Amino acid sequence: MAKSALRAIHLYPVKSIAGSGPGEAVVEPWGLAGDRRWMVVDAGRKLLTQRPLPKMALAHAEMLAGGALRLTAPGMAALTVEVPAPGETVAVEHFQDKIDAVPAGPAAAAWFREFLGIEAELVHLDAPEIRRPINPKYSEPGDTVTFADGYPLLLTTTSSLDALNSLIAQGDHADEGPLPMNRFRPNVVVDGTAPWAEDDWRRVRIGEVVFQVAKPSARCVVTTTDQHTAERGKEPLRTLARHRRFGDRLVFGQNLIPRGAGTIRIGDPFEILE
């Protein structure tokens, strides 16, 4: 088998909308620098995602110098959003978590209201080192995370995607495949490992940075959403339900927690430590 290496890096500055694929990224204790430090909430300040709003896939956030954003979307004028100055926070709901965040201001709120057609507001996570602890069952005291689903990074492998696409090709919805990796919205994608080998990993190294493999990633309806058109199908959930069901979870990829700091780059060696 080819030597294992980091094939791709993905950053999503705003949770649940499109991001970018840089050649390198700084690893912070709570994730990749700039990843999911912003999120969109509704009138009750509850998280909005592609789950009920697949149209969110069509919006794009580019991270600018100093952590600012440039927002673009079909039919919308581009908007630059500066990091809000430190100030009063508001309580927002992220699934079961209540998190303090800073409103990004009326211009960003108006932009998302117009694009989504509902009441919406953009908020920023000002202090990721203290705002949101990770589930203690899978982490260590002091571990925190941004507005990601639950863990600092998501890792997927090209070999497992190839294996999944082979299974989809044999199923009732073969015409939906092969699926691209962007359906799974990973942070890091690894080449040169055996299909599904990640099920057994406990610690890995990418370049100079060590990561704890916290738990498998349970997949939801977002994976059935074409990230370029916002249209939905049946796959990969139909095939995951048949072949990758662990209890009541449909699994693809692994959640990671950094156990060090540094910069990771495409092409960096990937090593299984445990």
Side-chain angles (χ1 to χ4, degrees):
M1 180 172 288
K3 189 173 181 180
S4 301
L6 180 61
R7 177 172 179 173
I9 300 170
H10 298 283
L11 284 176
Y12 311 94
V14 179
K15 181 171 176 59
S16 223
I17 75 172
S20 61
E24 64 180 48
V26 174
V27 179
E28 298 175 331
W30 39 84
L32 300 182
D35 187 62
R36 297 177 175 97
R37 289 288 297 273
W38 307 75
M39 77 175 185
V40 187
V41 296
D42 65 12
R45 293 204 166 115
K46 295 181 179 180
L47 167 66
L48 291 173
T49 75
Q50 289 184 37
R51 290 166 174 84
L53 293 169
K55 185 179 182 181
M56 290 183 73
L58 305 181
H60 177 263
E62 177 188 1
M63 190 168 64
L64 305 177
L69 296 178
R70 183 175 186 269
L71 299 172
T72 56
M76 298 290 296
L79 178 69
T80 297
V81 184
E82 300 294 337
V83 174
E88 185 176 349
T89 61
V90 296
V92 297
E93 290 188 31
H94 180 295
F95 300 119
Q96 288 77 37
D97 294 339
K98 291 193 185 311
I99 309 167
D100 290 333
V102 183
W111 194 93
F112 276 104
R113 281 199 303 270
E114 181 181 348
F115 178 62
L116 296 175
I118 61 172
E119 284 298 315
E121 183 179 15
L122 183 67
V123 297
H124 180 258
L125 187 66
D126 60 336
E129 68 276 11
I130 61 170
R131 294 295 186 204
R132 187 180 174 216
I134 299 176
N135 184 340
K137 182 178 178 181
Y138 301 103
S139 63
E140 297 178 1
D143 286 339
T144 61
V145 63
T146 60
F147 288 136
D149 270 4
Y151 297 87
L153 285 87
L154 173 63
L155 175 149
T156 59
T157 70
T158 56
S159 61
S160 293
L161 179 62
D162 290 344
L164 178 61
N165 277 325
S166 293
L167 294 169
I168 290 172
Q170 301 165 31
D172 299 334
H173 298 277
D175 59 317
E176 292 189 27
L179 300 182
M181 190 66 86
N182 66 9
R183 290 292 187 94
F184 301 95
R185 296 177 61 83
N187 292 112
V188 289
V189 182
V190 172
D191 259 341
T193 62
W196 315 123
E198 61 270 24
D199 291 346
D200 299 320
W201 299 342
R202 296 295 174 263
R203 279 195 319 134
V204 300
R205 179 186 287 120
I206 301 173
E208 62 186 12
V209 185
V210 174
F211 299 86
Q212 173 192 340
V213 182
K215 69 184 293 290
S217 178
R219 310 317 307 219
C220 70
V221 71
V222 171
T223 60
T224 70
T225 308
D226 186 312
Q227 295 295 296
H228 297 296
T229 67
E231 295 178 357
R232 283 203 166 135
K234 301 295 185 182
E235 294 293 358
L237 293 185
R238 284 286 180 92
T239 297
L240 290 175
R242 292 173 179 167
H243 299 279
R244 295 287 298 166
R245 184 184 292 276
F246 292 72
D248 61 350
R249 306 286 183 172
L250 310 183
V251 167
F252 187 89
Q254 291 284 343
N255 291 296
L256 305 183
I257 302 174
R259 292 296 175 227
T263 300
I264 57 174
R265 299 173 176 86
I266 293 175
D268 274 353
F270 175 80
E271 183 181 359
I272 302 159
L273 301 178
E274 184 181 338

